[in-house]
Amino acid sequence: MSTASAAGIQVFGIRHLSPGGAWHLLRELERVQPTAVLVEGPSDATGEIRHLVRKDTKPPVAILAYTEQVPVRTVLWPFASYSPEFAALQWAHRHGAEASFIDLPSSVTLALQAREMEAKRPGKAETEVTPPMAEPERPASGGAGGSHPPRSEGSVPAGGSQAVIEAPGGEAVGADPAPAVPDDAPEANEGHLYDRIAELAGEPDYDTYWERHYEHNLSPDAYRLTLSEHSRSLRELTVEGERMRSVQAFAHNAVRESYMKRNIQAAIDAGHEPGRIVVVCGAYHAEALETTDGAMTDKELAALPQAVVRQTLMPYSYYRLSSLSGYGAGNHAPGYYELMWNSMRAGALEELPYVYLTGVAAQLRASGTFRSTAEVIEAVRMARSLAALHDGSQPAHADLRDAAKTLLGRGELSVVAEALAQQDIGTGIGRLAKGVSQTPVQDDLNRQLKQLKLEKYRTAVAQELTLDLRENRRVVSEAAAYLDLNRSFLLHRLSLIGISLAKPRRSAQQDASWAEQWVLQWTPEAEIETVEASLMGETVEVAAARTLSQQLAACDSIAEASALIRIACLCGLASQLQASQTTLDHLAADSRDVVQLAAAVSELSRVLAYGDVRRLDTTPLLPLLDKLFTRASLYLVEASGCNDEAATAMTEAISSLHAAAQEHAEELDEALWLERLGELSSRDDRNPRLSGLACAILMERGVLSAAACEQEVSRRLSPGIPADLGAGWFEGLAQRNRYALVSRTALWEQLNAYLAALEQEQFARALVFLRRAFSVFSPREKAMVAEVLGELWGIGGEQASELLSGEMSEQEQQQIEELNEFDFEDF
Amino acid sequence: MTTKQETVQDTLRQPSELLYHQELEALKAADTGKVPAGWQMSPKAVLTFITGGEAGGVAITPKYIGNKRLVEMAIATLVTDRALLLIGEPGTAKSWLSENLTAAIYGNSGLVVQGTAGTTEEQVRYSWNYAMLLANGPSPEALVKSPIMRAMEAGGIARFEEISRCASEVQDALISILSEKTIAVAELGQDVSARKGFSIIATANTRDRGVNDMSAALKRRFNIIVLPSPADVETEIEIVRKRVGEIAAQYDLQAAVPGDEALRKVVTIFRELRSGVSLDKKEKIKSPGGAISTAEAISLLTGSMALAASFGDGELRDADLAAGLQGAIVKDDDKDRLVWQEYIANVMKKRGETWRGLYNACQELNS
């Protein structure tokens, strides 16, 4: 390999995501008319280029590479319409030039990333191996802002992962001409470097400096020459520090450059005239790539680690593009840069301020805040004079924003903040041409979305969707009749797998049976999660079923298992219904925990009651329900011997068991249930509140005759019974069916007599229970009680009501407060 | 020194253009930028004057510390001959900025309309010398021009202080002035048109919001810039130190300028009471009803210095500071006294040895 032949290669250093760079690069390509265009990007994704340049591919899109094994590691290379790389690829496509990516293949990048993580976290390997569903990865701020290739994400649990992820992002610091300022500490010095540059130039921040000096300058060659000088000196300033601080990052860069040289040499060897090869890379690498000296040898290449990876193209969003980068390579405002790119291509960059500010005003008007054209004109004038203060040829983004704030927001940023966000970032998402390489799950999801007419929800803006699961009888085909039901199955399956495309919204209806509300929003993360789901199966349904069976295998409580039964039902996974039933059966076999059993019973009862709305055959669940219910009935009395705190959970358990008993009266043994309740009601050694509740239920069911009831009341409230037993029992009694209670005058007479017979100290105790019992009564019910008591006391209902519901005097207030600190001593 | 300047030394408070006469001359001499019509220096030189720097070997002291970008926005507004409205909490240097901008751009910061509830439309437009009016009828000699009218004739900048204190109809008199840039004197059948360079810098107080809210029509004619409270403790200490030093020199206070420690304590107390949370954000603090601005911290410190000079030994003691704090924080409301008491007991007491002296002094005064 002769190095002399490398002379004359056209290396064009750019900043990633820079419209100015794209503009200049296109001119350079026109001038050179290359036969080969080599772009910094994963060489094993060269095959994706033909999809990238297709007419119906609409950026922003990204190349996603992922490992096939758990833990899934992913790397992203996003492209916007104004990415110089994207522009170069399109140019090559139009002019029939050969285009290829020349950076390290993603298989090596991911393998290096994995190795680095292990190195950095010795002994912590356990925590790293997270199942893909449990810990869906987010594209973390992939290292240096400008380190566009590649954005990498590790499968590390959130938090503390930044430093780990940063290095494989490769270009670490200053790697790019862009202000590659990572957030983590070691490189903080370079962060200051960019601040210093901005300060020396008198600009508020580096982005403004960059825009003013590089994006706005459209004179020929200006971009390439100034930028190469700029990054040459930056590299000189930072390279030593990098070598010292982060050997790995330094070495990583060296490996990448050496590999790129190898590919350049390969292009020369393939017969391309060196003068007609254009290399497009981050300006940081531009100088190094001017010669192919030190190209990687075969032996060195073989020594690099390899991971098994696959690639796919995926739509990307401007939102993600902006939030990914933090300090970003000029992509803090992708929407703005797209406007800039459009203006440049129209040859009217100077019109950008009008376009931008008019857009902001239009957004404001659309949201109901009127701003006149005159104000837009003044805002443009102000932005211009701000630019003039910095000797700029035209307003930069910061100038436009400040002008918008002053004129359109009348000084308040909050007025224009939303409109600015719309304009700067926008809600745009990319689109791929049909049939472009995708994983089977992505294909399956797309097909189902289309089939279920959900495609219009595939936007970056959150949209609500209300489903009616009942059969639609006005349509002919079965698919149409159960459209909403099938949608519900799909959405439930997605949330089971952990694809965050749809979030359920709490419905206004309790125990929602046939109505469901969802919020749908597409994000690049959802796309990544979909790709990850391919590990679980080829289709959404298979992946959901496998996820569920994994969860079943891991579950170890009755409540969890019964929740999984419900999920299986919601997802329409009949096969899993059987499996989860078995799991629950095993778990319940030797449980005596009535609270847990009751929770399971109530879940099952709900599934059984509403199962047919989902067209599921739930009858196999009946025996299990019966078994659980019987067991809960049998242990009821035993479990009711508990303290007041545990009684709260038991109260709920009893109520839900009773609800189930009534719901499935035919299938369940209600007689047994009532018998056990009767036992509980008559026992004096159980928690009095639960006994009271049992009594109330029996009264309600008419099992206890009026006479028996009065007997019971007088027994429980007879003088001499300690206050916490008597009043506690009454509290339990008052928990249900209050009208029936209020209407029984005899009961109140007894309560009245009981209270009157209590001693001062005992009375205070009773008061604590009674206050709690009556606190849940509605005002109307209280008035009714007052009326009854008024009659009893012979003072008439109205007066009693006034007395009881009037304002408390200060003295009474104080007495009540003393009650709050009442000491139960032995209790 | 000329006699003019000597007499100036006697005045209680010098306008900015005299106070910083040397700096302005140096800036003008060293100015290379393009000077807009009606201005006496280029926008960049104005920026240097306000935010500090150096011109022709003369150091330019910063007049507005903190947010340089806001100053750029204010200057950019005035370049486009738009009127400027500065809004902010009391004591965020609105008037100070407006005076210095006017001094730098026009060289005369004295054309001021002070907005009060009693400000009339005549004070905004023009009024008459009634003796002459009665004797000779309407004539140019009998016309008494408002500061705004004089600024229009001279192509200069007029200042309108506390614009939101004026009645709405008075405010609205500005609408035609700002859009037509003329004042019609109907009695004389004349129009007074503004020359190039004319503009208005108005200030308004956010605490006055809702009293005499500015009409949308008027707001539309201003570029509005909101001046924030100083962003962090260091900035605020810097501001206080600089202004206290300047005022002490100007009033010839015979007391030592307060040390860093005293400055930090006062600024800390003020910031905590203002924001309702301790500086380390760990503790919630009640805020008093009145405004507690940077400007008040400055006057508190100069007041304490005067106390120390007149009744003490010229050294600023904790007792002097405590007296100042008491006056600044507890205005007239009894509630403020409780708030202050709570602060002393809950926050100041825990601050340790360095705060002990001040704590004792405050405790004594407020009990």
Side-chain angles (χ1 to χ4, degrees), chain A residues 429 445 448-450 452-467 484 486-488 490-492 494-495 499-505 516-523 526:
Chain A
I429 61 173
L445 178 60
Q448 291 203 43
L449 287 178
K450 196 174 170 200
L452 299 174
K453 303 193 174 74
L454 285 171
E455 270 183 321
K456 65 175 173 187
Y457 294 96
R458 202 187 158 92
T459 61
V461 183
Q463 292 182 74
E464 274 192 37
L465 172 66
T466 305
L467 300 178
D484 274 4
N486 290 328
R487 284 171 164 184
S488 165
L490 177 67
L491 298 182
H492 277 295
L494 291 181
S495 53
I499 297 175
S500 54
L501 180 66
K503 287 190 192 69
R505 256 195 47 178
E516 278 183 355
Q517 287 193 316
W518 293 85
V519 178
L520 278 75
Q521 182 179 24
W522 183 90
T523 56

Side-chain angles (χ1 to χ4, degrees), chain A residues 579-600:
Chain A
S580 29
Q581 194 186 342
T582 319
T583 312
L584 179 56
D585 200 10
H586 284 306
L587 285 169
D590 41 28
S591 171
R592 314 174 95 182
D593 186 339
V594 174
V595 175
Q596 283 220 15
L597 287 171

Side-chain angles (χ1 to χ4, degrees), chain A residues 24 112 227 343 446 495 529 571 598 615 670 795 818:
Chain A
H24 283 285
L112 285 173
L227 183 51
S343 303
N446 286 342
S495 53
E529 285 153 4
C571 294
R615 305 178 72 214
E670 207 196 352
I795 51 173
E818 277 166 23

Side-chain angles (χ1 to χ4, degrees), chain B residues 278-353:
Chain B
S278 63
L279 283 188
D280 55 13
K281 301 236 164 18
K282 282 185 186 152
E283 224 169 322
K284 215 170 136 48
I285 291 167
K286 265 190 203 148
S287 296
I292 24 180
S293 63
T294 316
E296 286 185 60
I298 293 167
S299 71
L300 179 162
L301 280 163
T302 49
S304 303
M305 280 167 71
L307 261 182
S310 315
F311 304 107
D313 54 5
E315 199 66 37
L316 200 57
R317 304 254 173 242
D318 282 335
D320 303 320
L321 273 187
L325 283 168
Q326 181 81 18
I329 294 161
V330 185
K331 298 242 164 64
D332 49 359
D333 204 340
D334 206 36
K335 275 187 192 145
D336 286 349
R337 204 181 60 76
L338 291 178
V339 169
W340 181 224
Q341 179 64 44
E342 210 177 305
Y343 183 86
I344 295 170
N346 290 346
V347 184
M348 220 193 263
K349 195 175 176 184
K350 291 184 208 147
R351 286 266 152 84
E353 201 45 47

Side-chain angles (χ1 to χ4, degrees), chain A residues 186-397:
Chain A
E187 282 86 2
N189 284 341
E190 269 78 16
H192 288 308
L193 187 63
Y194 294 104
D195 290 344
R196 285 279 298 148
I197 293 174
E199 197 186 318
L200 282 178
E203 298 288 356
D205 51 55
Y206 186 80
D207 276 323
T208 311
Y209 161 79
W210 172 268
E211 187 184 346
R212 197 105 67 203
H213 287 82
Y214 294 94
E215 303 295 346
H216 290 170
N217 189 348
L218 296 187
S219 22
D221 269 349
Y223 188 88
R224 191 168 57 88
L225 297 179
T226 50
L227 183 51
S228 87
E229 192 49 44
H230 179 81
S231 44
R232 196 195 314 275
S233 21
L234 268 187
R235 191 167 169 146
E236 273 166 23
L237 280 171
T238 57
V239 83
E240 273 313 309
E242 193 178 304
R243 197 203 294 269
M244 300 292 289
R245 257 194 328 273
S246 168
V247 184
Q248 244 162 347
F250 180 80
H252 189 85
N253 267 331
V255 171
R256 288 181 55 200
E257 279 168 9
S258 156
Y259 184 81
M260 287 196 262
K261 285 177 190 176
R262 176 188 167 90
N263 277 330
I264 296 169
Q265 186 63 48
I268 298 171
D269 295 346
H272 292 285
E273 199 183 309
R276 295 188 69 189
I277 295 177
V278 168
V279 177
V280 181
C281 63
Y284 182 80
H285 304 294
E287 194 191 355
L289 296 185
E290 267 162 18
T291 149
T292 55
D293 276 342
M296 192 176 278
T297 62
D298 291 346
K299 204 176 140 199
E300 284 165 347
L301 180 61
L304 286 175
Q306 291 271 350
V308 184
V309 298
R310 297 174 67 142
Q311 289 105 13
T312 179
L313 283 184
M314 60 174 264
Y316 213 61
S317 73
Y318 273 153
Y319 174 72
R320 209 63 220 146
L321 208 52
S322 67
S323 56
L324 243 185
S325 45
Y327 285 88
N331 49 5
H332 57 289
Y336 170 73
Y337 278 93
E338 189 189 335
L339 288 181
M340 182 190 277
W341 173 234
N342 292 341
S343 303
M344 275 179 187
R345 281 199 303 183
L349 182 58
E350 66 281 357
E351 278 173 16
L352 180 61
Y354 299 100
V355 176
Y356 179 83
L357 288 167
T358 313
V360 175
Q363 294 277 1
L364 278 173
R365 285 180 205 141
S367 63
T369 309
F370 182 77
R371 290 293 184 262
S372 67
T373 310
E375 281 166 296
V376 178
I377 296 172
E378 289 301 338
V380 173
R381 290 184 64 208
M382 179 176 170
R384 284 212 174 132
S385 61
L386 270 174
L389 268 179
H390 292 281
D391 300 322
S393 56
Q394 74 173 80
H397 186 228

Side-chain angles (χ1 to χ4, degrees), chain A residues 202-204 212 372 374-375 378 381-382 385-386 388-391 398-399 402-403 405-407 410-412, chain B residues 43-44 47 68-70 72-77 79-82 87 209 216 219-220 222-226:
Chain A
E203 298 288 356
R212 197 105 67 203
S372 67
E375 281 166 296
E378 289 301 338
R381 290 184 64 208
M382 179 176 170
S385 61
L386 270 174
L389 268 179
H390 292 281
D391 300 322
D399 302 331
D402 284 338
K405 181 176 103 179
T406 308
L407 270 302
R410 309 228 165 119
E412 309 268 358
Chain B
K44 272 195 179 176
L47 182 65
K68 188 177 174 191
R69 187 68 182 172
L70 286 179
E72 285 180 11
M73 285 158 69
I75 296 172
T77 297
V79 175
T80 60
D81 68 38
R82 287 274 288 181
I87 294 184
R209 197 169 271 168
K219 272 192 178 167
R220 219 159 48 74
F222 279 107
N223 279 16
I224 302 172
I225 292 177
V226 179

